[in-house]
Every structure is written in C-alpha cells, then in structure tokens.
C-alpha cells in the first residue's frame, strides 16, 4: 500500500471529516480552484483523458524528478471532473516522481465520494491518476 504525499493526505482528511452533501460542496469548491494553465501550454499539446466523460487534458513535466509539475484542463461545465483534476493538481503538483508513483490507484475511495458521485466519474479520476503515473514513468525511467 502506497502512502499519500502530505498535501494529498490533507485533502483526503478534509473530505473524510464531512458528510456526503458537504463532500459534494467541497468537491465543487475544488472545481473553482483548478489552477489555470501556463500561457505557454496549449490544450492541443496535452494528453487527453478518454476515461473521463468530459474533455479533460493533462500535462506532466517530470524534467525535475524531485518536483514534478502537473497541469490539467477541464471544462467549467463539468464541475465534478474539474474538481477531481483540481484535487490531483493541488495534491500532487510539485511532489517527487517517487511520491506520485506511490499514490494508491484507488486512493480516491478515501475521499468518501462513492455515495455522492457516479462510478463512471470515479473511474475518470482513476484514469487521470493512471495517466499522470504513466507520464512520470516514461519521463523518468522509474517503475
């Protein structure tokens, strides 16, 4: 079982402390906090995440394996998906490659959103994390 980087663990703890309806509210707050893309990064150059129902794109820069940068693009019309992208961005951006690769693939169950969010949307979050890990592996040569 992997461990969660501190920022991601704190987000999981925040969700764990809430009831179902408040969890959805917090997820929507995260949707509003998705960091904007840097000016030099175009969606066309980013990797699509077909596991998501919405058009989500991500970019991973693991040139510095000790401080991996993550960027996500998700439409405002898809607040659940955008919230998941924001959780990953805020929880993993700047972490080491090893820390990101150590995140359990199903950590999102710890958010306690299973009752509030459809399984299809939860699979989308798993897809985002899986693609981030694949990019980190391909860029750093780590397994």
């Amino acid at each position: 079982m992997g461990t969660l980087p501190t920022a991601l663990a704190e987000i999981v703890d925040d969700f764990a402390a809430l009831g179902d309806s408040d969890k959805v509210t917090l997820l929507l707050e995260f949707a509003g906090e998705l960091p904007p893309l840097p000016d030099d990064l175009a969606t066309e150059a980013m990797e699509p995440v077909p596991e998501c129902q919405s058009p989500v794109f991500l970019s991973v820069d693991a040139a510095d394996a000790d401080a991996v940068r993550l960027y996500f693009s998700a439409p405002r019309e898809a607040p659940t998906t955008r919230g998941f992208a924001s959780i990953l961005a805020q929880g993993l951006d700047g972490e080491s490659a090893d820390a990101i690769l150590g995140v359990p693939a199903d950590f999102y169950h710890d958010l306690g959103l299973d009752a509030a969010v459809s399984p299809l949307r939860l699979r989308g979050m798993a897809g985002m994390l899986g693609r981030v890990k694949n990019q980190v592996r391909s860029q750093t040569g780590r397994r």
Side-chain angles (χ1 to χ4, degrees), residues 10-59:
E10 288 172 1
I11 292 170
V12 168
D13 288 344
D14 288 345
F15 274 94
L18 300 172
D20 284 349
S21 64
D22 290 333
K23 286 179 173 140
V24 173
T25 301
L26 183 57
L27 182 62
L28 297 178
E29 285 175 17
F30 270 97
E33 297 170 359
L34 181 65
L37 294 177
D39 292 337
D40 62 340
L41 187 60
T43 304
E44 298 76 42
M46 300 171 73
E47 180 179 358
V49 183
E51 293 88 347
C52 291
Q53 293 173 294
S54 310
V56 175
F57 298 87
L58 63 87
S59 177

Side-chain angles (χ1 to χ4, degrees), residues 71-87:
Y71 305 100
F72 292 88
S73 169
R76 291 200 178 275
E77 310 79 54
T80 304
T81 305
R82 190 175 167 86
F84 286 150
S86 182
I87 288 169

